[in-house]
Amino acid sequence: MFSQSLQDALNEQIKNEFYSAYMYLAMSSWFEDKALPGFAKWMRVQYQEELTHGLKIFDFILDRDARALVHGFNAPPAEWKSSLDAFESSYAHEQKVTAMINNLYALAVKENDYPTIVLLQWFINEQVEEEKSVKLIVDQLRMAGDSATALLLLDRELGARAA
Ligand code: FEO
């Protein structure tokens, strides 16, 4: 039995994943505007990843013979104070998403919904990777400080991220 409360919570998470996608797309645009195409590319790839996260839950709900819903959400911010500010915001956001996934997992366990538990195990592992990759860039940006050379080197490196 796929409970309505679990369906509602999963539908809410689809919205959160799509919000994440829009947030990264907004950051991609911001980095383009700052003449940092490598950072922009990294953000664009992240946008695409978040879309796949949302669709993964969307398709799971459909596979369980339930209704996947398309909720609206408020626009993400469009401005950040610096590259570091954008990545610190990303890191804080990913930590929030991790908490959401953990709450969903607790609900699935409480309801003994084994398929949802298996689905969410993928997301739990993914969040470890998401936090790790964003935190590494935060740390490197902190190290770079005010050095334009270090920033441009990092821009080149991030631009190599594959879709
Ligand atoms: Fe889908 Fe970045 O969490």
Side-chain angles (χ1 to χ4, degrees), residues 146-158:
D146 291 332
S147 164
T149 310
L151 187 66
L152 291 174
L153 274 174
L154 196 50
D155 186 64
R156 186 171 295 186
E157 186 187 319
L158 295 185

Side-chain angles (χ1 to χ4, degrees), residues 13 16-18 20-21 23-24 46 49-54 90 93-94 97-98 101 122-123 126-127 130-131 134:
Q13 191 59 27
N16 295 332
E17 298 292 341
F18 287 155
S20 301
M23 184 192 78
Y24 286 118
Q46 190 63 26
E49 263 202 19
E50 298 296 354
L51 290 181
T52 67
H53 294 173
S90 302
H93 180 74
E94 288 303 336
V97 173
T98 298
I101 296 290
W122 183 90
F123 278 90
E126 178 68 10
Q127 281 311 118
E130 295 270 89
E131 286 195 30
V134 175

Side-chain angles (χ1 to χ4, degrees), residues 6-155:
L6 195 49
Q7 287 180 41
D8 292 346
L10 287 167
N11 270 312
E12 193 64 18
Q13 191 59 27
I14 293 172
K15 181 188 81 180
N16 295 332
E17 298 292 341
F18 287 155
Y19 174 85
S20 301
Y22 263 47
M23 184 192 78
Y24 286 118
L25 189 61
M27 287 179 173
S28 177
S29 170
W30 186 86
F31 277 111
E32 288 283 359
D33 190 52
K34 299 293 175 263
L36 291 167
F39 282 92
K41 163 93 181 300
W42 191 97
M43 287 294 181
R44 178 76 73 115
V45 173
Q46 190 63 26
Y47 154 74
Q48 287 164 334
E49 263 202 19
E50 298 296 354
L51 290 181
T52 67
H53 294 173
L55 287 173
K56 203 176 185 74
I57 302 171
F58 191 91
D59 287 338
F60 173 82
I61 293 172
L62 295 178
D63 287 347
R64 299 282 305 272
D65 197 23
R67 282 296 303 279
L69 299 174
V70 179
H71 292 307
F73 48 78
N74 292 327
E79 295 294 334
W80 290 271
K81 292 197 289 279
S82 62
S83 304
L84 178 59
D85 182 40
F87 271 87
E88 282 177 336
S89 298
S90 302
Y91 186 53
H93 180 74
E94 288 303 336
Q95 287 177 310
K96 262 197 271 173
V97 173
T98 298
M100 291 169 187
I101 296 290
N102 290 347
N103 287 338
L104 271 173
Y105 190 84
L107 181 61
V109 167
K110 192 173 131 215
E111 298 197 0
N112 292 325
D113 192 309
Y114 300 112
T116 303
I117 289 170
V118 171
L119 172 83
L120 292 172
Q121 280 168 353
W122 183 90
F123 278 90
I124 288 169
N125 287 327
E126 178 68 10
Q127 281 311 118
V128 172
E129 283 305 310
E130 295 270 89
E131 286 195 30
K132 179 185 164 189
S133 61
V134 175
K135 181 59 169 36
L136 178 64
I137 300 168
V138 167
D139 289 344
Q140 290 178 335
L141 281 168
R142 283 180 185 153
M143 258 187 270
D146 291 332
S147 164
T149 310
L151 187 66
L152 291 174
L153 274 174
L154 196 50
D155 186 64

